[in-house]
Amino acid sequence: MGVQGLSTVLDTHRQIYREVRFMRSRLLIDGYNLLYLLYFRSGLDENHGGDYAAFEDVIERFITALRDCRITPYVVFDGAFDYKDKKLETATERAEDRIRKAHQAAVGGMKQHILPLLAKLVFKQTLVRLEVPVAQCYSEADQEIAALAREWQCPVLSNDSDFYIFELPAGLLPISYFRWEEVERSGSQRYIPCLSYSTSSFCIFFNIQPKLLPTFAALAGNDYVKLQRKGLSISWAQFDPTGRETPSRIEGLLCWLKAFEQPQEAVEAVLGMMGELSRKKKVEVQQSLWLGMQEYQLPPSSLKRFFIHGVAPKFPVIEEVKKIYILPSKSYILNVLLRHQSRSLSLAVGHSDLPCACLTSRPLRQVMYGLLLSGGKSILVVEPERDGLQIKLTRVQPTFNGVLWQLALDSLDKVKAEPSERLQVILEALGVTEESLKHLPPQLRLPVAVTCYWLQKAQPPPDQTLLKALLLGVSNGDTLRQREGNEHKALVTISKKIVGKYNLDMVLAHSFSQWQICLKDSIHLNQLLGCPLPEPQIAGLYEGTLLHKLVPIMRTGGRLKSYLKNDRSSVKLYQTMQSILHQFYIQETSTPTETQKKVTAPQQQRQALDDLTTNLNQLFLEDEDEENVTEVKSAVRAQEDLHLNHLLSVRTRYRSKERNNRCNKPELTRKEERRGWDLLCGPEVQLSVRNQQEPSNCTSLIKTIKVMKKKKNFYGSSFRTRYF
């Protein structure tokens, strides 16, 4: 973003900057700029769905470093995508460039700086949890940040070269030179060593008038002015006085500007250098240049009252929108209201031949459009989507039916919008019921509902291995976050090494990308409705690199113990989620005919027993016999605690031996509390076994147990299976 080529010139002339010890100050932060720099420069995963727990750790360390130096951060994000279309052409080019890079990353395996789908949510959730003041502008944030920095006399932290043009009294701190990981001490004070930039130093070095800086930015080419596309570009490199073999376009322009005192003089000289132009063409060029220059004129700050008093600035085009209430600060909402367009393109690393992953969650966005546009039947929303390596715009009809008829944008903040109605909207959109989610912890109700939706809508449909891996990741999701210090860093390092051994599975990556986009859009819909479901914390919920390890391990029959938590709560959580998803699948599947039932029932039973056999084999551990017995019983007990009606019960014959062991060997009792997490068989297996009418139908299961009994160091006691 910003002025093309300016950062390179400044890196060449480092003497323009000055060394500072930054501490005891307010700091205005360009939110999205910091987000990208923190993620990409931390060496985190980009191609396997994101290292969200590790990213959360980076954000926490960054904020801690600031506060240790008594620096108060204020983070400001861009809002609606340029609703006046001043940057439409630039944004389209960047989106298509990201599409090509996402494809290259999938095929070649190299990092192409494609931000994982949920990284923005993780960033914002972490800032809110750390109580960092956050604001989101209605439109571009650059002017608002610069205006408040001027009023507060504090610096701006960003790598956007537009801030090299704004007149900032306390200067700009480029993120590239902000060494926040190297906090130093001077006496009792801590500070962050960094470089500071000021427009006065720049103008003195290049000997130009400060008032000409906006003219320089427009002529150099920024996001608003692209003269070269009109065939009107000037070769500024010819004015470079250095005589280098490869002259600098930027330095040539700066040298040319030395001859002028006023912006108008420079603009007239430029028009004269463009040869014979029609009057219409001259007016067009002049207007384009003035438009680019006006972007650096600072209005009074509207953010100060928001940060100090919590008063949001007035909506900029309220006369164009009849019904407004205090919206969640989301750019997609503003785009829909202002332009009837959804500008955001959810893009993940993936092969261009696969369909756009964002198509899966389009029905969810249609519900949002219905709420935002109050059911206007004649209104269509324009959505971008990836079509191969290109962008395609599609007109989408908002959904406005069912309980949505009773809700609209102007009623969501009123008493008549009952919580039950809000909840019903999102549950209907996801195709689940409140009853089906009641056994889950509140934080997991939305993710599990999203998973039900994903199972129904994803193309191609995810297989059981993907589903089990996802559930295992969710039930063990806080493992990475709970690990501290070197243990955490070592785990992240191991994760990267193991993932690196596997080529990117295109179908796997595409399927999990669909799940992430469904979750993101569901969170947005939930926020619009006032959060009738608790918002999940992404960093402890989903870990892309972990899932890309689990799936190939599970497909090849590998052991999972070293990757998962070994406590009963994780087992219970896993089994609860799988039970809900199984019941959802049964309800969504059409009822087969009696003939189909007779044909498929034996096959389902055999498949269920085969799945159970595989899961029992995963329990093979080289421990003492009695410990293995205890492990199996603990797995069963973890299932019984769910109070489900269909359970597989496996018990030993020797209950007295168990009681004696508990008395004589208390270490086994303690170990029992940690066992059972390996039992990965789902409710479909349990239900199949429960429905067996005769013990003879489980012959293969009994044979399997007998074979396993004979293995060395395995179950030493005799077993019997009880059917009910």
Side-chain angles (χ1 to χ4, degrees):
M1 295 181 66
V3 182
Q4 301 169 7
L6 180 55
S7 297
T8 302
V9 171
L10 287 167
D11 288 341
T12 303
H13 302 288
R14 291 278 295 275
Q15 60 268 42
I16 295 175
Y17 298 107
R18 65 186 181 92
E19 291 275 356
V20 297
R21 297 179 174 183
F22 187 55
M23 58 183 173
R24 301 171 62 90
S25 171
R26 287 171 171 162
L27 179 64
L28 281 168
I29 299 175
D30 182 352
Y32 285 131
N33 205 258
L34 177 65
L35 161 65
Y36 286 100
L37 268 294
L38 281 183
Y39 196 94
F40 293 139
R41 295 193 177 184
S42 298
L44 302 176
D45 171 74
E46 299 176 19
N47 295 351
H48 296 85
D51 281 331
Y52 298 132
F55 184 43
E56 181 188 50
D57 179 64
V58 172
I59 301 166
E60 289 179 348
R61 290 190 287 111
F62 176 81
I63 298 301
T64 299
L66 296 183
R67 288 174 172 168
D68 285 347
C69 301
R70 302 183 68 179
I71 300 168
T72 305
Y74 295 84
V75 181
V76 184
F77 292 97
D78 291 325
F81 165 80
D82 179 32
Y83 58 84
K84 295 181 181 179
D85 280 347
K86 292 182 290 185
K87 294 172 59 175
L88 177 59
E89 191 175 3
T90 300
T92 301
E93 288 181 355
R94 288 175 180 163
E96 291 181 344
D97 181 60
R98 287 193 300 121
I99 288 174
R100 288 189 292 271
K101 289 182 177 179
H103 174 75
Q104 292 169 2
V107 174
M110 301 296 292
K111 291 185 177 182
Q112 296 288 343
H113 285 185
I114 302 299
L115 193 70
L117 290 163
L118 299 175
K120 290 182 181 179
L121 271 172
V122 172
F123 188 53
K124 291 182 178 180
Q125 286 183 341
T126 306
L127 292 177
V128 170
R129 180 172 57 81
L130 297 175
E131 300 182 343
V132 176
V134 175
Q136 183 151 9
C137 297
Y138 291 122
S139 186
E140 292 282 325
D142 292 359
Q143 282 185 320
E144 292 288 350
I145 294 173
L148 184 55
R150 181 181 62 181
E151 191 166 339
W152 275 355
Q153 301 282 302
C154 72
V156 172
L157 182 69
S158 177
N159 259 19
D160 189 338
S161 57
D162 277 332
F163 288 105
Y164 290 111
I165 307 301
F166 291 114
E167 186 178 349
L168 306 174
L172 170 72
L173 305 180
I175 297 178
S176 300
Y177 302 119
F178 192 72
R179 304 199 298 274
W180 61 272
E181 294 181 285
E182 304 173 18
V183 173
E184 298 181 12
R185 183 185 295 273
S186 176
S188 61
Q189 302 290 334
R190 292 185 176 183
Y191 65 88
I192 295 176
C194 57
L195 295 183
S196 177
Y197 165 90
S198 67
T199 54
S200 59
S201 296
F202 181 85
C203 292
I204 291 171
F205 184 84
F206 287 106
N207 192 25
I208 65 170
Q209 295 296 322
K211 65 180 67 175
L212 288 174
L213 281 179
T215 309
F216 157 70
L219 291 175
N222 57 19
D223 291 340
Y224 303 96
V225 183
K226 306 288 184 182
L227 294 180
Q228 64 272 25
R229 293 177 184 160
K230 307 177 187 296
L232 302 174
S233 61
I234 297 173
S235 178
W236 298 113
Q238 62 182 308
F239 300 105
D240 184 0
T242 60
R244 288 173 293 197
E245 182 177 350
T246 304
S248 169
R249 179 180 64 90
I250 294 295
E251 293 195 47
L253 172 58
L254 288 167
C255 184
W256 180 82
L257 283 171
K258 291 179 183 179
F260 303 98
E261 294 288 333
Q262 299 295 331
Q264 184 63 40
E265 298 174 9
V267 171
E268 290 176 356
V270 166
L271 292 175
M273 295 172 64
M274 290 183 176
E276 295 295 328
L277 294 177
S278 65
R279 180 178 177 82
K280 180 179 179 181
K281 199 69 173 179
K282 283 188 176 182
V283 171
E284 181 183 341
V285 172
Q286 193 171 28
Q287 288 178 343
S288 179
L289 289 173
W290 283 112
L291 174 65
M293 294 162 62
Q294 287 172 4
E295 293 303 315
Y296 303 102
Q297 304 304 312
L298 298 182
S301 172
S302 59
L303 284 177
K304 180 178 178 180
R305 291 184 66 204
F306 175 75
F307 279 131
I308 301 301
H309 304 293
V311 179
K314 291 183 178 180
F315 201 76
V317 285
I318 194 168
E319 67 275 6
E320 297 181 20
V321 183
K322 296 180 180 179
K323 299 175 180 179
I324 292 293
Y325 84 112
I326 298 177
L327 295 167
S329 346
K330 296 298 176 185
S331 57
Y332 71 87
I333 290 178
L334 298 172
N335 281 321
V336 173
L337 286 173
L338 295 172
R339 302 282 297 169
H340 296 164
Q341 294 180 351
S342 176
R343 291 293 191 184
S344 60
L345 174 63
S346 296
L347 185 65
V349 171
H351 200 284
S352 62
D353 290 344
L354 293 170
C356 183
C358 65
L359 297 177
T360 308
S361 61
R362 176 170 285 169
L364 300 176
R365 296 193 297 276
Q366 289 176 278
V367 173
M368 285 192 285
Y369 303 153
L371 285 169
L372 291 170
L373 301 176
S374 302
K377 294 183 178 180
S378 61
I379 298 176
L380 297 178
V381 177
V382 178
E383 279 195 349
E385 64 181 73
R386 179 183 60 76
D387 184 12
L389 293 175
Q390 304 296 321
I391 288 180
K392 180 176 72 174
L393 298 180
T394 303
R395 296 183 180 275
V396 178
Q397 176 71 55
T399 297
F400 204 77
N401 50 31
V403 74
L404 286 175
W405 284 111
Q406 305 169 33
L407 294 176
L409 180 60
D410 60 339
S411 68
L412 289 176
D413 63 332
K414 298 177 182 178
V415 177
K416 64 180 181 179
E418 295 292 338
S420 60
E421 293 176 338
R422 300 168 186 256
L423 179 61
Q424 186 178 350
V425 169
I426 191 167
L427 293 180
E428 285 184 356
L430 294 171
V432 297
T433 63
E434 185 177 4
E435 176 70 18
S436 64
L437 304 176
K438 68 179 183 180
H439 292 299
L440 287 167
Q443 281 281 322
L444 290 182
R445 289 173 185 172
L446 183 57
V448 171
V450 168
T451 306
C452 291
Y453 175 90
W454 172 68
L455 286 174
Q456 186 180 6
K457 300 289 186 180
Q459 293 297 329
D463 59 32
Q464 287 296 312
T465 304
L466 267 63
L467 176 59
K468 288 184 179 181
L470 179 62
L471 297 186
L472 287 170
V474 170
S475 60
N476 293 266
D478 59 350
T479 305
L480 295 177
R481 187 174 56 179
Q482 290 179 348
R483 296 178 183 268
E484 298 177 352
N486 294 332
E487 184 180 359
H488 172 78
K489 294 178 181 178
L491 188 59
V492 172
T493 302
I494 293 172
S495 172
K496 293 175 184 175
K497 289 181 179 179
I498 295 179
V499 169
K501 295 179 181 179
Y502 299 102
N503 293 326
L504 185 66
D505 185 324
M506 302 294 183
V507 176
L508 172 63
H510 179 68
S511 186
F512 284 140
S513 293
Q514 291 179 89
W515 186 88
Q516 289 197 67
I517 292 174
C518 290
L519 179 63
K520 183 177 71 170
D521 286 340
S522 297
I523 289 176
H524 290 165
L525 175 59
N526 191 51
Q527 291 172 342
L528 179 60
L529 291 166
C531 292
L533 289 172
E535 184 169 312
Q537 294 298 306
I538 305 299
L541 177 72
Y542 184 89
E543 196 70 16
T545 52
L546 175 65
L547 296 184
H548 276 264
K549 286 186 296 182
L550 289 180
V551 171
I553 290 173
M554 294 174 70
R555 284 175 175 169
T556 57
R559 293 175 57 184
L560 301 173
K561 181 177 181 180
S562 59
Y563 303 99
L564 307 176
K565 292 171 64 176
N566 53 348
D567 60 79
R568 292 180 60 195
S569 62
S570 296
V571 178
K572 290 176 62 176
L573 184 57
Y574 173 86
Q575 296 289 354
T576 302
M577 291 189 294
Q578 197 175 44
S579 175
I580 292 170
L581 292 169
H582 176 63
Q583 293 300 322
F584 172 81
Y585 180 79
I586 291 176
Q587 293 170 4
E588 291 298 317
T589 304
S590 57
T591 305
T593 63
E594 291 299 323
T595 303
Q596 290 173 329
K597 288 180 182 179
K598 293 178 181 179
V599 173
T600 59
Q603 297 175 352
Q604 292 175 346
Q605 292 170 5
R606 286 195 298 272
Q607 181 62 46
L609 291 173
D610 290 342
D611 290 344
L612 181 57
T613 300
T614 301
N615 288 316
L616 285 174
N617 278 306
Q618 290 182 0
L619 292 175
F620 187 90
L621 300 173
E622 294 182 356
D623 293 325
E624 294 297 325
D625 293 348
E626 293 174 333
E627 293 179 346
N628 284 302
V629 173
T630 306
E631 182 168 334
V632 176
K633 290 187 295 181
S634 298
V636 175
R637 186 175 292 106
Q639 293 179 325
E640 289 174 342
D641 287 343
L642 299 177
H643 302 291
L644 302 176
N645 294 326
H646 46 281
L647 294 172
L648 171 64
S649 178
V650 181
R651 300 178 181 175
T652 64
R653 290 178 176 177
Y654 303 106
R655 293 174 177 257
S656 59
K657 184 175 181 180
E658 177 190 2
R659 289 193 292 269
N660 292 335
N661 287 339
R662 286 180 173 273
C663 297
N664 300 330
K665 297 183 179 181
E667 68 275 12
L668 292 181
T669 303
R670 290 193 298 268
K671 198 164 188 176
E672 181 180 3
E673 298 298 322
R674 305 194 302 270
R675 299 295 189 180
W677 53 270
D678 284 290
L679 192 57
L680 306 181
C681 57
E684 68 273 20
V685 177
Q686 302 160 5
L687 185 61
S688 298
V689 175
R690 173 179 175 263
N691 289 336
Q692 307 299 319
Q693 299 300 316
E694 298 294 335
S696 57
N697 289 341
C698 284
T699 305
S700 61
L701 172 61
I702 297 173
K703 288 182 178 179
T704 299
I705 295 178
K706 288 181 179 180
V707 170
M708 296 171 74
K709 283 169 54 180
K710 297 179 181 179
K711 291 182 179 287
K712 184 178 180 180
N713 293 330
F714 201 69
Y715 305 117
S717 304
S718 299
F719 281 77
R720 62 183 173 88
T721 305
R722 191 177 75 176
Y723 306 89
F724 46 55

